[in-house]
Amino acid sequence: DAGVIQSPRHEVTEMGQEVTLRCKPISGHDYLFWYRQTMMRGLELLIYFNNNVPIDDSGMPEDRFSAKMPNASFSTLKIQPSEPRDSAVYFCASSQGSLGQYFGPGTRLTVL
Amino acid sequence: AQSVTQPDIHITVSEGASLELRCNYSYGATPYLFWYVQSPGQGLQLLLKYFSGDTLVQGIKGFEAEFKRSQSSFNLRKPSVHWSDAAEYFCAVGARLMEYGNKLVFGAGTILRVKS
């Protein structure tokens, strides 16, 4: 059974560029979560979806960040324009109800 | 609102020794409780979860955790640690009532070092 799939695994970009992170949740899961992890701030929830509908985006840092879930098997997190302070590891996780979240391997983003 | 405290930032144990990682939570009712492990450069892996019933929960990799309502604790244990257990461990709490959303609140993590 495939787990949560994220791409790319590593992304290096220059300040001001648009960055798109991708996530494929586990089939049958109805919740999808986007997190950011840094040494300074730890693990932060950015946004989560239920049945493709955004439920809580209070963790999205600012308007430069946006997330979409066009269907049950795909979600994107976009940063436009990117800044050096966005450098972090971004995780996607999915769950079936509240039965526990399953995390992807993460995307390590470096903004120069 | 839920909160989670992991009092130990770092713990070092000898290989073969027993392990207990502490987790205390704050929640107005019985929550859902989880332990996750994160190895360097990896995502978080679900070790075990408590929803209801038996307060001693068995997980993967030989880990177990015990829910103690009176102490608001959910400590993680392993009888004999292996060098491959060196990682960061996160305790998390989730709300039972969906009206509070389906978010998990994570503790700050405990880094486990294993010495040979």
Side-chain angles (χ1 to χ4, degrees):
Chain A
D1 217 6
V4 175
I5 298 172
Q6 291 187 247
S7 65
R9 293 293 311 276
H10 302 272
E11 177 81 34
V12 180
T13 191
E14 293 189 346
M15 183 174 63
Q17 296 299 304
E18 177 178 294
V19 174
T20 300
L21 311 181
R22 296 172 177 79
C23 174
K24 177 178 170 55
I26 294 171
S27 178
H29 282 191
D30 56 349
Y31 283 86
L32 184 138
F33 306 81
W34 282 102
Y35 290 88
R36 177 171 70 176
Q37 187 178 41
T38 61
M39 290 289 291
M40 292 295 293
R41 301 173 68 93
L43 193 64
E44 303 173 276
L45 176 65
L46 301 178
I47 184 171
Y48 77 94
F49 296 82
N50 177 218
N51 293 323
N52 315 335
V53 176
I55 301 300
D56 185 344
D57 65 355
S58 59
M60 296 285 263
E62 48 197 276
D63 292 345
R64 298 184 297 106
F65 286 69
S66 63
K68 294 182 179 179
M69 192 166 185
N71 57 63
S73 58
F74 183 66
S75 177
T76 59
L77 178 68
K78 187 174 293 186
I79 308 173
Q80 165 63 18
S82 58
E83 297 182 2
R85 60 191 167 122
D86 302 329
S87 297
V89 181
Y90 291 80
F91 290 106
C92 176
S94 69
S95 74
Q96 184 178 6
S98 53
L99 298 180
Q101 295 179 22
Y102 292 83
F103 282 72
T107 295
R108 181 172 295 277
L109 173 65
T110 302
V111 183
L112 304 173
Chain B
Q2 308 104 290
S3 67
V4 179
T5 302
Q6 293 181 247
D8 304 304
I9 298 174
H10 297 98
I11 280 187
T12 300
V13 300
S14 297
E15 190 169 16
S18 63
L19 170 71
E20 182 168 27
L21 301 182
R22 295 183 292 164
C23 172
N24 293 97
Y25 68 89
S26 173
Y27 184 62
T30 302
Y32 294 146
L33 294 161
F34 306 86
W35 275 100
Y36 286 84
V37 60
Q38 185 179 29
S39 298
Q42 305 294 316
L44 279 72
Q45 182 181 21
L46 181 61
L47 278 177
L48 48 77
K49 54 191 174 185
Y50 172 78
F51 290 152
S52 64
D54 193 345
T55 56
L56 185 62
V57 180
Q58 302 297 320
I60 61 172
K61 304 186 179 190
F63 285 92
E64 65 179 27
E66 186 171 12
F67 168 59
K68 292 186 176 180
R69 185 192 308 272
S70 62
Q71 298 177 19
S72 297
S73 69
F74 189 57
N75 293 350
L76 182 71
R77 301 194 295 246
K78 187 169 185 178
S80 177
V81 169
H82 188 262
W83 64 266
S84 60
D85 293 324
E88 188 163 15
Y89 292 79
F90 293 91
C91 181
V93 60
R96 285 184 175 270
L97 298 176
M98 295 309 290
E99 64 196 68
Y100 296 121
N102 192 21
K103 297 189 284 191
L104 291 182
V105 174
F106 285 85
T110 297
I111 295 172
L112 172 65
R113 299 190 178 110
V114 180
K115 59 181 182 180
S116 55

mmCIF file of all heavy atoms in Angstrom, chain A residues 65-111:
data_model
loop_
_atom_site.group_PDB
_atom_site.id
_atom_site.type_symbol
_atom_site.label_atom_id
_atom_site.label_comp_id
_atom_site.label_asym_id
_atom_site.label_seq_id
_atom_site.Cartn_x
_atom_site.Cartn_y
_atom_site.Cartn_z
ATOM 1 N N PHE A 65 1.194 32.391 0.415
ATOM 2 C CA PHE A 65 0.953 30.952 0.471
ATOM 3 C C PHE A 65 -0.483 30.660 0.045
ATOM 4 O O PHE A 65 -1.417 31.321 0.495
ATOM 5 C CB PHE A 65 1.163 30.424 1.889
ATOM 6 C CG PHE A 65 2.585 30.326 2.321
ATOM 7 C CD1 PHE A 65 3.350 31.459 2.551
ATOM 8 C CD2 PHE A 65 3.176 29.086 2.516
ATOM 9 C CE1 PHE A 65 4.674 31.373 2.953
ATOM 10 C CE2 PHE A 65 4.499 28.976 2.932
ATOM 11 C CZ PHE A 65 5.252 30.130 3.148
ATOM 12 N N SER A 66 -0.634 29.632 -0.789
ATOM 13 C CA SER A 66 -1.969 29.182 -1.158
ATOM 14 C C SER A 66 -1.951 27.675 -1.329
ATOM 15 O O SER A 66 -0.915 27.091 -1.669
ATOM 16 C CB SER A 66 -2.445 29.859 -2.447
ATOM 17 O OG SER A 66 -1.598 29.508 -3.533
ATOM 18 N N ALA A 67 -3.070 27.036 -1.072
ATOM 19 C CA ALA A 67 -3.167 25.588 -1.209
ATOM 20 C C ALA A 67 -4.472 25.244 -1.894
ATOM 21 O O ALA A 67 -5.490 25.909 -1.696
ATOM 22 C CB ALA A 67 -3.083 24.905 0.159
ATOM 23 N N LYS A 68 -4.414 24.184 -2.694
ATOM 24 C CA LYS A 68 -5.595 23.719 -3.391
ATOM 25 C C LYS A 68 -5.677 22.208 -3.314
ATOM 26 O O LYS A 68 -4.666 21.527 -3.148
ATOM 27 C CB LYS A 68 -5.545 24.141 -4.871
ATOM 28 C CG LYS A 68 -5.631 25.630 -5.107
ATOM 29 C CD LYS A 68 -5.632 25.954 -6.586
ATOM 30 C CE LYS A 68 -5.737 27.447 -6.834
ATOM 31 N NZ LYS A 68 -5.715 27.777 -8.273
ATOM 32 N N MET A 69 -6.883 21.717 -3.443
ATOM 33 C CA MET A 69 -7.087 20.271 -3.520
ATOM 34 C C MET A 69 -8.172 20.033 -4.566
ATOM 35 O O MET A 69 -9.360 19.980 -4.231
ATOM 36 C CB MET A 69 -7.462 19.689 -2.170
ATOM 37 C CG MET A 69 -7.396 18.193 -2.157
ATOM 38 S SD MET A 69 -7.443 17.529 -0.489
ATOM 39 C CE MET A 69 -7.203 15.784 -0.866
ATOM 40 N N PRO A 70 -7.803 19.941 -5.826
ATOM 41 C CA PRO A 70 -8.789 19.839 -6.906
ATOM 42 C C PRO A 70 -9.542 18.518 -6.927
ATOM 43 O O PRO A 70 -10.653 18.455 -7.461
ATOM 44 C CB PRO A 70 -7.944 20.019 -8.169
ATOM 45 C CG PRO A 70 -6.560 19.665 -7.760
ATOM 46 C CD PRO A 70 -6.424 20.024 -6.325
ATOM 47 N N ASN A 71 -8.939 17.477 -6.341
ATOM 48 C CA ASN A 71 -9.632 16.190 -6.263
ATOM 49 C C ASN A 71 -9.083 15.404 -5.084
ATOM 50 O O ASN A 71 -8.127 15.841 -4.426
ATOM 51 C CB ASN A 71 -9.485 15.413 -7.576
ATOM 52 C CG ASN A 71 -8.046 15.184 -7.964
ATOM 53 O OD1 ASN A 71 -7.307 14.510 -7.233
ATOM 54 N ND2 ASN A 71 -7.632 15.745 -9.095
ATOM 55 N N ALA A 72 -9.651 14.257 -4.843
ATOM 56 C CA ALA A 72 -9.313 13.488 -3.640
ATOM 57 C C ALA A 72 -7.908 12.914 -3.663
ATOM 58 O O ALA A 72 -7.424 12.422 -2.637
ATOM 59 C CB ALA A 72 -10.321 12.355 -3.456
ATOM 60 N N SER A 73 -7.245 12.965 -4.797
ATOM 61 C CA SER A 73 -5.935 12.316 -4.874
ATOM 62 C C SER A 73 -4.796 13.280 -5.156
ATOM 63 O O SER A 73 -3.683 12.865 -5.478
ATOM 64 C CB SER A 73 -5.955 11.228 -5.958
ATOM 65 O OG SER A 73 -6.305 11.791 -7.195
ATOM 66 N N PHE A 74 -5.042 14.590 -5.001
ATOM 67 C CA PHE A 74 -3.985 15.529 -5.333
ATOM 68 C C PHE A 74 -4.187 16.861 -4.620
ATOM 69 O O PHE A 74 -5.294 17.393 -4.566
ATOM 70 C CB PHE A 74 -3.963 15.748 -6.860
ATOM 71 C CG PHE A 74 -2.857 16.642 -7.336
ATOM 72 C CD1 PHE A 74 -1.531 16.253 -7.226
ATOM 73 C CD2 PHE A 74 -3.138 17.877 -7.903
ATOM 74 C CE1 PHE A 74 -0.505 17.070 -7.671
ATOM 75 C CE2 PHE A 74 -2.122 18.702 -8.361
ATOM 76 C CZ PHE A 74 -0.803 18.301 -8.245
ATOM 77 N N SER A 75 -3.076 17.383 -4.107
ATOM 78 C CA SER A 75 -3.107 18.709 -3.490
ATOM 79 C C SER A 75 -1.801 19.427 -3.805
ATOM 80 O O SER A 75 -0.760 18.792 -4.000
ATOM 81 C CB SER A 75 -3.287 18.611 -1.981
ATOM 82 O OG SER A 75 -3.250 19.885 -1.376
ATOM 83 N N THR A 76 -1.876 20.755 -3.861
ATOM 84 C CA THR A 76 -0.682 21.563 -4.067
ATOM 85 C C THR A 76 -0.595 22.640 -3.007
ATOM 86 O O THR A 76 -1.614 23.138 -2.509
ATOM 87 C CB THR A 76 -0.674 22.235 -5.449
ATOM 88 O OG1 THR A 76 -1.833 23.079 -5.569
ATOM 89 C CG2 THR A 76 -0.652 21.221 -6.569
ATOM 90 N N LEU A 77 0.626 22.992 -2.677
ATOM 91 C CA LEU A 77 0.918 24.145 -1.824
ATOM 92 C C LEU A 77 1.840 25.044 -2.644
ATOM 93 O O LEU A 77 2.892 24.603 -3.097
ATOM 94 C CB LEU A 77 1.605 23.710 -0.531
ATOM 95 C CG LEU A 77 2.020 24.828 0.431
ATOM 96 C CD1 LEU A 77 0.784 25.505 1.019
ATOM 97 C CD2 LEU A 77 2.897 24.278 1.557
ATOM 98 N N LYS A 78 1.413 26.270 -2.833
ATOM 99 C CA LYS A 78 2.156 27.187 -3.683
ATOM 100 C C LYS A 78 2.639 28.374 -2.870
ATOM 101 O O LYS A 78 1.910 28.900 -2.011
ATOM 102 C CB LYS A 78 1.267 27.656 -4.837
ATOM 103 C CG LYS A 78 1.967 28.483 -5.886
ATOM 104 C CD LYS A 78 1.043 28.785 -7.058
ATOM 105 C CE LYS A 78 0.678 27.557 -7.834
ATOM 106 N NZ LYS A 78 -0.100 27.864 -9.062
ATOM 107 N N ILE A 79 3.846 28.784 -3.141
ATOM 108 C CA ILE A 79 4.424 29.979 -2.512
ATOM 109 C C ILE A 79 4.831 30.914 -3.651
ATOM 110 O O ILE A 79 5.627 30.554 -4.506
ATOM 111 C CB ILE A 79 5.650 29.647 -1.649
ATOM 112 C CG1 ILE A 79 5.330 28.526 -0.654
ATOM 113 C CG2 ILE A 79 6.101 30.903 -0.901
ATOM 114 C CD1 ILE A 79 6.545 28.028 0.116
ATOM 115 N N GLN A 80 4.264 32.106 -3.644
ATOM 116 C CA GLN A 80 4.548 33.061 -4.693
ATOM 117 C C GLN A 80 4.383 34.484 -4.158
ATOM 118 O O GLN A 80 3.269 34.875 -3.809
ATOM 119 C CB GLN A 80 3.605 32.842 -5.879
ATOM 120 C CG GLN A 80 3.534 33.964 -6.921
ATOM 121 C CD GLN A 80 4.861 34.211 -7.636
ATOM 122 O OE1 GLN A 80 5.759 33.381 -7.631
ATOM 123 N NE2 GLN A 80 4.971 35.373 -8.256
ATOM 124 N N PRO A 81 5.449 35.279 -4.124
ATOM 125 C CA PRO A 81 6.842 34.924 -4.396
ATOM 126 C C PRO A 81 7.505 34.302 -3.181
ATOM 127 O O PRO A 81 7.130 34.583 -2.046
ATOM 128 C CB PRO A 81 7.465 36.291 -4.705
ATOM 129 C CG PRO A 81 6.695 37.236 -3.826
ATOM 130 C CD PRO A 81 5.281 36.693 -3.774
ATOM 131 N N SER A 82 8.476 33.472 -3.406
ATOM 132 C CA SER A 82 9.172 32.827 -2.286
ATOM 133 C C SER A 82 10.206 33.775 -1.675
ATOM 134 O O SER A 82 10.736 34.667 -2.351
ATOM 135 C CB SER A 82 9.853 31.538 -2.756
ATOM 136 O OG SER A 82 10.766 31.806 -3.804
ATOM 137 N N GLU A 83 10.467 33.559 -0.377
ATOM 138 C CA GLU A 83 11.451 34.349 0.361
ATOM 139 C C GLU A 83 12.362 33.390 1.125
ATOM 140 O O GLU A 83 11.950 32.270 1.441
ATOM 141 C CB GLU A 83 10.753 35.304 1.322
ATOM 142 C CG GLU A 83 9.880 36.341 0.636
ATOM 143 C CD GLU A 83 9.238 37.315 1.615
ATOM 144 O OE1 GLU A 83 9.513 37.209 2.830
ATOM 145 O OE2 GLU A 83 8.483 38.193 1.148
ATOM 146 N N PRO A 84 13.573 33.848 1.461
ATOM 147 C CA PRO A 84 14.501 32.965 2.206
ATOM 148 C C PRO A 84 13.898 32.409 3.491
ATOM 149 O O PRO A 84 14.178 31.274 3.869
ATOM 150 C CB PRO A 84 15.705 33.873 2.472
ATOM 151 C CG PRO A 84 15.710 34.821 1.313
ATOM 152 C CD PRO A 84 14.245 35.078 1.019
ATOM 153 N N ARG A 85 13.047 33.173 4.150
ATOM 154 C CA ARG A 85 12.470 32.698 5.417
ATOM 155 C C ARG A 85 11.449 31.576 5.209
ATOM 156 O O ARG A 85 10.974 30.984 6.182
ATOM 157 C CB ARG A 85 11.810 33.855 6.173
ATOM 158 C CG ARG A 85 10.673 34.537 5.430
ATOM 159 C CD ARG A 85 10.294 35.822 6.152
ATOM 160 N NE ARG A 85 9.426 36.669 5.325
ATOM 161 C CZ ARG A 85 8.224 37.049 5.725
ATOM 162 N NH1 ARG A 85 7.748 36.687 6.878
ATOM 163 N NH2 ARG A 85 7.488 37.835 4.941
ATOM 164 N N ASP A 86 11.114 31.278 3.972
ATOM 165 C CA ASP A 86 10.231 30.147 3.689
ATOM 166 C C ASP A 86 10.996 28.818 3.660
ATOM 167 O O ASP A 86 10.375 27.752 3.554
ATOM 168 C CB ASP A 86 9.531 30.332 2.338
ATOM 169 C CG ASP A 86 8.718 31.610 2.277
ATOM 170 O OD1 ASP A 86 8.202 32.045 3.333
ATOM 171 O OD2 ASP A 86 8.596 32.180 1.173
ATOM 172 N N SER A 87 12.303 28.892 3.740
ATOM 173 C CA SER A 87 13.111 27.667 3.735
ATOM 174 C C SER A 87 12.722 26.796 4.927
ATOM 175 O O SER A 87 12.735 27.250 6.081
ATOM 176 C CB SER A 87 14.597 28.010 3.795
ATOM 177 O OG SER A 87 14.989 28.728 2.648
ATOM 178 N N ALA A 88 12.367 25.550 4.651
ATOM 179 C CA ALA A 88 11.854 24.634 5.673
ATOM 180 C C ALA A 88 11.624 23.286 5.018
ATOM 181 O O ALA A 88 11.813 23.120 3.811
ATOM 182 C CB ALA A 88 10.539 25.156 6.254
ATOM 183 N N VAL A 89 11.188 22.337 5.828
ATOM 184 C CA VAL A 89 10.696 21.071 5.283
ATOM 185 C C VAL A 89 9.175 21.115 5.360
ATOM 186 O O VAL A 89 8.605 21.398 6.419
ATOM 187 C CB VAL A 89 11.226 19.854 6.061
ATOM 188 C CG1 VAL A 89 10.695 18.569 5.446
ATOM 189 C CG2 VAL A 89 12.751 19.847 6.071
ATOM 190 N N TYR A 90 8.543 20.861 4.238
ATOM 191 C CA TYR A 90 7.091 20.891 4.152
ATOM 192 C C TYR A 90 6.571 19.458 4.066
ATOM 193 O O TYR A 90 6.991 18.679 3.213
ATOM 194 C CB TYR A 90 6.649 21.702 2.937
ATOM 195 C CG TYR A 90 6.935 23.175 3.092
ATOM 196 C CD1 TYR A 90 8.211 23.691 2.865
ATOM 197 C CD2 TYR A 90 5.948 24.057 3.523
ATOM 198 C CE1 TYR A 90 8.494 25.044 3.040
ATOM 199 C CE2 TYR A 90 6.218 25.410 3.693
ATOM 200 C CZ TYR A 90 7.485 25.885 3.454
ATOM 201 O OH TYR A 90 7.761 27.229 3.641
ATOM 202 N N PHE A 91 5.671 19.138 4.979
ATOM 203 C CA PHE A 91 5.089 17.799 5.013
ATOM 204 C C PHE A 91 3.618 17.847 4.639
ATOM 205 O O PHE A 91 2.894 18.765 5.005
ATOM 206 C CB PHE A 91 5.207 17.193 6.422
ATOM 207 C CG PHE A 91 6.595 16.826 6.830
ATOM 208 C CD1 PHE A 91 7.286 17.597 7.743
ATOM 209 C CD2 PHE A 91 7.200 15.707 6.303
ATOM 210 C CE1 PHE A 91 8.580 17.260 8.126
ATOM 211 C CE2 PHE A 91 8.491 15.356 6.677
ATOM 212 C CZ PHE A 91 9.172 16.138 7.587
ATOM 213 N N CYS A 92 3.222 16.816 3.956
ATOM 214 C CA CYS A 92 1.822 16.550 3.701
ATOM 215 C C CYS A 92 1.458 15.304 4.508
ATOM 216 O O CYS A 92 2.274 14.384 4.657
ATOM 217 C CB CYS A 92 1.615 16.313 2.204
ATOM 218 S SG CYS A 92 -0.046 15.862 1.730
ATOM 219 N N ALA A 93 0.251 15.294 5.059
ATOM 220 C CA ALA A 93 -0.229 14.133 5.797
ATOM 221 C C ALA A 93 -1.685 13.898 5.425
ATOM 222 O O ALA A 93 -2.390 14.831 5.022
ATOM 223 C CB ALA A 93 -0.100 14.341 7.302
ATOM 224 N N SER A 94 -2.132 12.660 5.551
ATOM 225 C CA SER A 94 -3.545 12.383 5.309
ATOM 226 C C SER A 94 -4.080 11.465 6.398
ATOM 227 O O SER A 94 -3.312 10.771 7.081
ATOM 228 C CB SER A 94 -3.759 11.772 3.916
ATOM 229 O OG SER A 94 -3.226 10.466 3.816
ATOM 230 N N SER A 95 -5.392 11.483 6.564
ATOM 231 C CA SER A 95 -6.010 10.629 7.570
ATOM 232 C C SER A 95 -7.413 10.229 7.117
ATOM 233 O O SER A 95 -8.032 10.900 6.279
ATOM 234 C CB SER A 95 -6.085 11.324 8.932
ATOM 235 O OG SER A 95 -7.083 12.328 8.949
ATOM 236 N N GLN A 96 -7.877 9.144 7.706
ATOM 237 C CA GLN A 96 -9.273 8.743 7.544
ATOM 238 C C GLN A 96 -9.971 9.160 8.829
ATOM 239 O O GLN A 96 -9.745 8.551 9.890
ATOM 240 C CB GLN A 96 -9.371 7.245 7.325
ATOM 241 C CG GLN A 96 -10.778 6.764 7.056
ATOM 242 C CD GLN A 96 -10.843 5.272 6.785
ATOM 243 O OE1 GLN A 96 -9.837 4.565 6.910
ATOM 244 N NE2 GLN A 96 -11.993 4.783 6.421
ATOM 245 N N GLY A 97 -10.773 10.190 8.761
ATOM 246 C CA GLY A 97 -11.355 10.739 9.962
ATOM 247 C C GLY A 97 -10.260 11.138 10.934
ATOM 248 O O GLY A 97 -9.236 11.713 10.562
ATOM 249 N N SER A 98 -10.470 10.784 12.208
ATOM 250 C CA SER A 98 -9.477 11.130 13.236
ATOM 251 C C SER A 98 -8.672 9.915 13.664
ATOM 252 O O SER A 98 -8.190 9.846 14.792
ATOM 253 C CB SER A 98 -10.200 11.744 14.441
ATOM 254 O OG SER A 98 -11.229 10.887 14.874
ATOM 255 N N LEU A 99 -8.492 8.974 12.735
ATOM 256 C CA LEU A 99 -7.838 7.712 13.071
ATOM 257 C C LEU A 99 -6.322 7.778 13.059
ATOM 258 O O LEU A 99 -5.674 6.746 13.155
ATOM 259 C CB LEU A 99 -8.318 6.609 12.125
ATOM 260 C CG LEU A 99 -9.823 6.296 12.190
ATOM 261 C CD1 LEU A 99 -10.165 5.192 11.217
ATOM 262 C CD2 LEU A 99 -10.230 5.923 13.606
ATOM 263 N N GLY A 100 -5.764 8.980 12.952
ATOM 264 C CA GLY A 100 -4.312 9.106 12.933
ATOM 265 C C GLY A 100 -3.824 9.589 11.591
ATOM 266 O O GLY A 100 -4.271 9.110 10.549
ATOM 267 N N GLN A 101 -2.900 10.545 11.613
ATOM 268 C CA GLN A 101 -2.386 11.124 10.380
ATOM 269 C C GLN A 101 -1.148 10.367 9.930
ATOM 270 O O GLN A 101 -0.291 10.000 10.744
ATOM 271 C CB GLN A 101 -2.053 12.598 10.608
ATOM 272 C CG GLN A 101 -3.274 13.447 10.926
ATOM 273 C CD GLN A 101 -2.920 14.889 11.166
ATOM 274 O OE1 GLN A 101 -1.878 15.384 10.725
ATOM 275 N NE2 GLN A 101 -3.797 15.599 11.866
ATOM 276 N N TYR A 102 -1.050 10.176 8.624
ATOM 277 C CA TYR A 102 0.093 9.495 8.018
ATOM 278 C C TYR A 102 0.833 10.512 7.165
ATOM 279 O O TYR A 102 0.252 11.145 6.283
ATOM 280 C CB TYR A 102 -0.376 8.290 7.200
ATOM 281 C CG TYR A 102 -0.943 7.214 8.079
ATOM 282 C CD1 TYR A 102 -2.263 7.269 8.515
ATOM 283 C CD2 TYR A 102 -0.141 6.175 8.535
ATOM 284 C CE1 TYR A 102 -2.784 6.313 9.370
ATOM 285 C CE2 TYR A 102 -0.656 5.197 9.374
ATOM 286 C CZ TYR A 102 -1.974 5.275 9.790
ATOM 287 O OH TYR A 102 -2.476 4.328 10.641
ATOM 288 N N PHE A 103 2.124 10.654 7.472
ATOM 289 C CA PHE A 103 2.917 11.705 6.865
ATOM 290 C C PHE A 103 3.683 11.207 5.642
ATOM 291 O O PHE A 103 4.127 10.055 5.592
ATOM 292 C CB PHE A 103 3.936 12.240 7.879
ATOM 293 C CG PHE A 103 3.347 13.171 8.894
ATOM 294 C CD1 PHE A 103 2.515 12.701 9.898
ATOM 295 C CD2 PHE A 103 3.614 14.539 8.848
ATOM 296 C CE1 PHE A 103 1.966 13.568 10.835
ATOM 297 C CE2 PHE A 103 3.066 15.406 9.777
ATOM 298 C CZ PHE A 103 2.244 14.914 10.772
ATOM 299 N N GLY A 104 3.867 12.125 4.703
ATOM 300 C CA GLY A 104 4.760 11.876 3.592
ATOM 301 C C GLY A 104 6.204 12.122 3.990
ATOM 302 O O GLY A 104 6.480 12.541 5.115
ATOM 303 N N PRO A 105 7.146 11.895 3.057
ATOM 304 C CA PRO A 105 8.570 12.038 3.363
ATOM 305 C C PRO A 105 9.029 13.485 3.432
ATOM 306 O O PRO A 105 10.130 13.761 3.911
ATOM 307 C CB PRO A 105 9.247 11.318 2.198
ATOM 308 C CG PRO A 105 8.272 11.445 1.074
ATOM 309 C CD PRO A 105 6.914 11.391 1.697
ATOM 310 N N GLY A 106 8.205 14.410 2.976
ATOM 311 C CA GLY A 106 8.542 15.823 3.049
ATOM 312 C C GLY A 106 9.239 16.356 1.813
ATOM 313 O O GLY A 106 9.824 15.602 1.027
ATOM 314 N N THR A 107 9.145 17.675 1.653
ATOM 315 C CA THR A 107 9.893 18.403 0.622
ATOM 316 C C THR A 107 10.781 19.405 1.335
ATOM 317 O O THR A 107 10.290 20.249 2.073
ATOM 318 C CB THR A 107 8.955 19.158 -0.332
ATOM 319 O OG1 THR A 107 8.160 18.238 -1.063
ATOM 320 C CG2 THR A 107 9.767 20.030 -1.292
ATOM 321 N N ARG A 108 12.087 19.276 1.114
ATOM 322 C CA ARG A 108 13.024 20.231 1.718
ATOM 323 C C ARG A 108 13.177 21.401 0.760
ATOM 324 O O ARG A 108 13.706 21.248 -0.337
ATOM 325 C CB ARG A 108 14.372 19.575 1.993
ATOM 326 C CG ARG A 108 15.373 20.523 2.653
ATOM 327 C CD ARG A 108 16.628 19.788 3.080
ATOM 328 N NE ARG A 108 16.359 18.803 4.115
ATOM 329 C CZ ARG A 108 16.277 19.082 5.414
ATOM 330 N NH1 ARG A 108 16.464 20.312 5.834
ATOM 331 N NH2 ARG A 108 16.052 18.116 6.282
ATOM 332 N N LEU A 109 12.701 22.566 1.180
ATOM 333 C CA LEU A 109 12.740 23.769 0.350
ATOM 334 C C LEU A 109 13.838 24.697 0.829
ATOM 335 O O LEU A 109 13.899 25.027 2.015
ATOM 336 C CB LEU A 109 11.391 24.499 0.401
ATOM 337 C CG LEU A 109 11.328 25.857 -0.288
ATOM 338 C CD1 LEU A 109 11.538 25.716 -1.790
ATOM 339 C CD2 LEU A 109 10.017 26.566 0.014
ATOM 340 N N THR A 110 14.673 25.104 -0.102
ATOM 341 C CA THR A 110 15.700 26.100 0.177
ATOM 342 C C THR A 110 15.488 27.268 -0.768
ATOM 343 O O THR A 110 15.478 27.086 -1.989
ATOM 344 C CB THR A 110 17.113 25.524 -0.025
ATOM 345 O OG1 THR A 110 17.279 24.378 0.823
ATOM 346 C CG2 THR A 110 18.170 26.565 0.319
ATOM 347 N N VAL A 111 15.300 28.443 -0.192
ATOM 348 C CA VAL A 111 15.132 29.665 -0.984
ATOM 349 C C VAL A 111 16.365 30.537 -0.777
ATOM 350 O O VAL A 111 16.661 30.949 0.346
ATOM 351 C CB VAL A 111 13.862 30.427 -0.575
ATOM 352 C CG1 VAL A 111 13.673 31.658 -1.474
ATOM 353 C CG2 VAL A 111 12.641 29.526 -0.646
#
